[in-house]
Structure formats: C-alpha cells, structure tokens
Amino acid sequence: MKTFLTSLSAKSAFRSHIQPSNHLRILRATYAMQHNVPSLNDKSLLKDQTYINGQWVGAKSGKTFEVHDPASGKLIGTMPEMDKEDTEAAIKAAADALPSFRQLTGRQRSKMLRKWYDLMIENADDIAKLITWENGKPIADAKGEVAYAANFFEWFSEEAPRVYGATIPATVAGNRVYTTKEAIGVCGLITPWNFPAAMITRKVGAALAAGCTVVAKSPGETPFTAAALAELAHRAGIPPGVVNIVTAMKNTAEVGSTITASNTVKKVSFTGSTGVGKLLMKQSSDTLKKLSFELGGNAPFIVFDDADLDVAVTGAIASKFRSSGQTCVCANRLYIQKGIYDDFAKAFTEKVKNFKVGSGYAEGVTHGPLIHDRAVNKVEAHVQDAIKQGGKVLVGGEKMPNLGSNYFQPTVIRDMTEKMVLAHDETFGPVAGLFPFDTEAEVVRQANDAEVGLAGYFFSKDVQRCFRVAEALEVGMVGINTGLISDPAAPFGGVKWSGFGREGSKYGIDEYMTIKMVTLGGMGQPLQGS
C-alpha cells in the first residue's frame, strides 16, 4: 500500500531542507484533515526515510514497513525496512566520521549538543505530536517526555568539557602516573518504543559528549520521532556520519546481530526486555564489546502504616499509571501494610475512577492506548489470572473495544497473592495489584523475590526505616516518598537481571569511554646545577 508519505517520496522538495511548493503544502493539508494527522508547525520534521552519513536514504532493497497509530489503527506511513547491508553502511559511516569527531575538544562537542538541545526546545510541540501519534500517550505526557529528552542533551553538553583524568602517586620512586579518558569508538544503540525521544537522547547525548559516533536502531513502532531528532541533529551541525539512524521492523533481529557481530562497533547500549538483552550479550561475546543494558523491571511499591496516605496515593498514581503503565520503572507490585490497606485501596481506586481514556490528542484524556493488541492481551491475561485466584477487581478489568483494539481499562485489583502471575511477571500495562503485608521484614523479602531489580519505591515517615529499607531493597534505584525518580542528573540502571551500567548523570558519559594509564619513568632526577 502506498501512503501519502510514500507517494511524495519521489518529490525532491520533500527530501530536502528546501521549503515545499504550495502544491505540496495543499496536498499535505488536505491529507491531514482527511486522516486526522496532527498538524505540525514544521512539516519537514515528518520524514519517510532515515538518516545515514548526513543523508536521507531508503533501504537498499527498496523495502518499507508500515507504522500505525495505536489509538485509531490507521496507517501513519512507511519507513525503510533496513537489513544487514544497510546497517553495515551505517557502521562504516560512523567509523569514517570517528577520527575527526573524537579529535574535537569537549567544548566543541558541547556547543553541538547545546544547539541540538535548543532546536528540540524550539520544536517541542511538533515532536510531542509525533510521539502521541505513533506511541499513543496523551499529548501532555508527550510534551513532558520532550522536555525530559532534551534535558539529556543539555546535561551532556555540560559534561563534555569536564571529562577529567587523574594523577596517581606511584609506588616506584621516579615514576609519574596519570590517566586520561578516551572515546571508546563506534557505538551501537538499540532503543525501545515507550519513550521514543528520551531513550535515544539519553544514549546519544552521552556518546557524543564522550567523542563517540553512533549507529542507533530506532524502534519499529515509533521511528518517526527518531527521524525528527535526526533532522534536528542535521540542523545543529552534527557532522555527517556522527549520528546514523537505522530503521527496521521485520529485520530488527538481523540489524541487531549485525551491530553485535561487527568488530568495528566497540560498545552496545540496549534498553528493552531481559530476554533480548541476554541474546545481545551472547552475540557480543565474540567481539568482547563493552555493554550497558537497561532491561526488564518488576518494581515493588511499598506503603507502610506510618506513611502520609495522600502522598502515597499520589505517588502510586504517578508511578503505576504513567504512560498507561508502559514504563520499565513503573510500580508493578503494590504492597500496602494492613493497618492502612483498606483506606489506601479506597482512596487509590477513587483516583483511578477519574481517569479519562482515549486518543492522546483528545481534550481531557489522561491515558491513551497500549502500543498494540499483543500488549492488551498480556494485560488481560494477568487480570484474569488474578481473578481466578481470588483477586477482587475494584475498578476496570476489561478491554475497551468501543475505543479500539489497543485500549484496556485502568484497573485496580485487591487481595493479590504471591501465587499470581502479576507477582512475578512485568505487566507493562494499566493494572495495579494491591498486596497486603504485615511486617517490614516480610515485605522486603517479597519485594526482593524477583529475578530483576531495576527500581523500587516505599513510603514512610520513619527516617531510620527509610535508610534501613532503602539499603535492603535489591534494586538499582530507590524512590522514597515519591513515585517519580527519573532525572538527567540521576544515574539510571538496575541490578540482577535488570542489567548493568548507568545512564544519565555524571556516570553516564563514562559508559562511552575507556581509561588510559600513562607511566613516565626516570622523573626523579635532582635539579640540574644543584
């Protein structure tokens, strides 16, 4: 099927940075009105090709894949279905650009990232519209993601000039030891669909600040956001070959294996499922790449009797239902101490009843669709399993076919037990299961009874308990009396099967660098002429 975007692909004005003709503008406006396409202030941010070596290109095979609006199911457009040959071309472009880019000073790279940040802020509304269109999240959430994503460029623009080595006192008289930090080289970045802007900027910002060049595999479900970011990189003056975007849906595994098998690629950063992370780690073993993986989560959310109930409910809403529960750090298991269990369940449920589900562009909508029907089916399976084992649905619990195939009611289930599937599997959807508990020791044991360990949350007014429980939880990140922990200044990452390495913060840039040690001998001679 030829989409409107594809039919314009032969028009050079659509490919270039030249303003399109009046005829093309009229065609686009007409199509937008007929197909509920978001009206972009800058139409040139909507691309149907991808960006390699500073050029907008299609797949060498000519193949494309379709991208659909999860809210309506309607076709958004097509993007290149790239394969091994295309990926190798992107890797070569990154390798060719590396020698000159890594020789730039940190300050020079800083200015490029700052310009990219400024352009993101200037085009924030358009990028948010693209995110809502292909991801489905409400436009307010999408705008929040754009600000969050842009902040990684700002943060790493400030880190780039401040990469410091160290001087080390030697144990051998006359020796002097110092270290420098160097860019590791070409990096392969593989990102997910749930934050189509932020997951790219968090990786690319750190890599470029370090002096690396990148080949980024954008998610097949949300490639248009990545393409818009690439367009802004071009405008920011990022040199050709420094940022390369590979798109694929059917060939995702082939693209991933090409990146991991390449001896040119020295580092792979991946955000996604634990299963795929294990596969990429195996594939990377032959070339001994440096890896950083942010994988699956199953976050415990604990509310103790001494917590501020209103604060805890607000935190639970923010953590559990952000992006309809499709975040790796969202609360998956809500443990409520028995002394406030009923009060919490009532107050929490009343908040959820006030949600408005629908298209992300519709006024007043708080929660949009899930990304596809497979996600809906998984959520429904978790709900049905809980009901069969004695869980009581307080609100929601069903699909919403009147809205479309990708909608599921925001759901609260009480009287959960450790035998239920939701207790052990990440739901990645709008379902909050409430587990009662008696003691601190009991809930920490339950919270830690998971193969993964990404994030954990708890609410308490007891300062000693705050330190005690934070240290006992087996996770990489802890939120105390808050349901939102993401911050460009904070190191993001997990333990156990949630992966390794940290993104964002002052530690994020180190993931893209190596430490070189230099020893100078014979430096202990006395002053001449003495």
Side-chain angles (χ1 to χ4, degrees), residues 8-345:
L8 288 179
S9 64
K11 308 290 186 179
S12 60
F14 186 66
R15 296 280 187 240
S16 69
H17 303 286
I18 301 173
Q19 288 296 317
S21 67
N22 289 332
H23 177 64
L24 287 178
R25 281 198 292 267
I26 292 170
L27 282 176
R28 287 178 185 161
T30 302
Y31 181 86
M33 288 187 291
Q34 292 175 346
H35 295 78
N36 194 31
V37 175
S39 177
L40 301 183
N41 298 314
D42 183 350
K43 304 297 191 297
S44 66
L45 290 176
L46 184 59
K47 303 290 186 182
D48 67 341
Q49 290 184 307
T50 194
Y51 189 72
I52 293 177
N53 201 26
Q55 301 292 321
W56 292 100
V57 299
K60 294 181 184 299
S61 66
K63 294 180 179 178
T64 61
F65 64 91
E66 296 182 347
V67 182
H68 293 86
D69 177 354
S72 66
K74 294 180 179 178
L75 185 68
I76 295 174
T78 62
M79 288 293 275
E81 182 69 76
M82 294 186 149
D83 55 20
K84 180 178 180 180
E85 185 180 4
D86 297 297
T87 307
E88 288 176 340
I91 293 171
K92 183 180 185 304
D96 290 345
L98 179 65
S100 58
F101 187 70
R102 76 193 312 175
Q103 290 302 314
L104 296 178
T105 67
R107 179 64 63 190
Q108 289 172 310
R109 295 193 297 272
S110 171
K111 291 178 180 178
M112 292 179 187
L113 285 170
R114 179 68 199 200
K115 180 61 176 176
W116 202 354
Y117 163 79
D118 290 338
L119 288 168
M120 277 197 71
I121 297 302
E122 291 172 14
N123 293 275
D125 286 348
D126 281 349
I127 298 173
K129 290 174 183 177
L130 290 173
I131 291 173
T132 294
W133 197 13
E134 60 183 356
N135 170 277
K137 65 179 63 175
I139 192 67
D141 287 356
K143 289 179 179 179
E145 181 186 343
V146 175
Y148 177 56
N151 284 343
F152 284 109
F153 287 153
E154 181 182 42
W155 176 269
F156 286 113
S157 75
E158 296 163 347
E159 289 292 295
R162 296 178 175 86
V163 176
Y164 302 125
T167 57
I168 302 170
T171 60
V172 177
N175 281 4
R176 301 291 183 269
V177 179
Y178 70 91
T179 64
T180 61
K181 293 182 179 179
E182 299 179 348
I184 194 167
V186 176
C187 299
L189 314 176
I190 304 174
T191 62
W193 50 261
N194 58 339
F195 288 90
M199 297 300 95
I200 291 177
T201 62
R202 190 163 69 183
K203 297 178 190 296
V204 173
L208 268 59
C212 299
T213 57
V214 303
V215 175
K217 163 62 175 68
S218 67
E221 296 84 351
T222 57
F224 291 106
T225 301
L229 294 179
E231 168 65 16
L232 297 182
H234 185 93
R235 298 180 191 179
I238 308 294
V242 172
V243 175
N244 305 277
I245 308 292
V246 177
T247 57
M249 178 66 84
K250 180 181 177 181
N251 294 337
T252 292
E254 180 179 343
V255 170
S257 62
T258 302
I259 290 172
T260 54
S262 171
N263 207 36
T264 302
V265 176
K266 304 302 181 184
K267 158 71 186 273
V268 170
S269 177
F270 169 69
T271 298
S273 71
T274 297
V276 174
K278 289 181 178 181
L279 176 62
L280 294 174
M281 191 170 183
K282 289 179 181 178
Q283 293 175 347
S284 299
S285 63
D286 285 344
T287 51
L288 291 176
K289 298 189 192 314
K290 186 175 184 178
L291 305 173
S292 56
F293 288 169
E294 190 261 287
L295 308 176
N298 188 358
F301 187 101
I302 304 166
V303 183
F304 290 100
D305 284 345
D306 63 354
D308 183 311
L309 183 62
D310 291 338
V311 172
V313 169
T314 299
I317 291 293
S319 177
K320 171 67 259 182
F321 290 105
R322 182 187 180 196
S323 296
S324 297
Q326 298 176 114
T327 79
C328 54
V329 293
C330 76
N332 200 60
R333 301 167 287 158
L334 281 71
Y335 296 103
I336 317 300
Q337 201 159 16
K338 289 182 177 179
I340 60 168
Y341 186 84
D342 290 337
D343 290 339
F344 181 93

Side-chain angles (χ1 to χ4, degrees), residues 284-453:
S284 299
S285 63
D286 285 344
T287 51
L288 291 176
K289 298 189 192 314
K290 186 175 184 178
L291 305 173
S292 56
F293 288 169
E294 190 261 287
L295 308 176
N298 188 358
F301 187 101
I302 304 166
V303 183
F304 290 100
D305 284 345
D306 63 354
D308 183 311
L309 183 62
D310 291 338
V311 172
V313 169
T314 299
I317 291 293
S319 177
K320 171 67 259 182
F321 290 105
R322 182 187 180 196
S323 296
S324 297
Q326 298 176 114
T327 79
C328 54
V329 293
C330 76
N332 200 60
R333 301 167 287 158
L334 281 71
Y335 296 103
I336 317 300
Q337 201 159 16
K338 289 182 177 179
I340 60 168
Y341 186 84
D342 290 337
D343 290 339
F344 181 93
K346 180 180 179 181
F348 184 65
T349 301
E350 288 303 313
K351 291 278 190 181
V352 176
K353 287 180 179 178
N354 291 326
F355 290 168
K356 181 179 179 181
V357 181
S359 167
Y361 295 119
E363 185 176 354
V365 163
T366 59
H367 294 79
L370 300 187
I371 191 66
H372 44 52
D373 57 359
R374 298 188 302 279
V376 173
N377 292 337
K378 180 180 181 181
V379 170
E380 183 182 41
H382 281 201
V383 171
Q384 291 303 313
D385 172 78
I387 292 173
K388 288 178 182 178
Q389 300 196 58
K392 180 181 178 182
V393 175
L394 300 180
V395 63
E398 297 180 355
K399 295 180 180 180
M400 306 178 75
N402 58 309
L403 293 179
S405 62
N406 295 334
Y407 289 91
F408 197 92
Q409 295 175 335
T411 301
V412 180
I413 308 175
R414 62 170 293 159
D415 304 332
M416 299 290 291
T417 70
E418 295 300 299
K419 294 181 180 180
M420 297 174 182
V421 173
L422 188 146
H424 305 285
D425 292 357
E426 185 178 24
T427 305
F428 227 66
V431 178
L434 308 184
F435 297 74
F437 74 92
D438 284 308
T439 68
E440 183 181 297
E442 172 196 357
V443 75
V444 169
R445 177 192 60 76
Q446 292 176 333
N448 289 340
D449 185 20
E451 293 174 330
V452 294

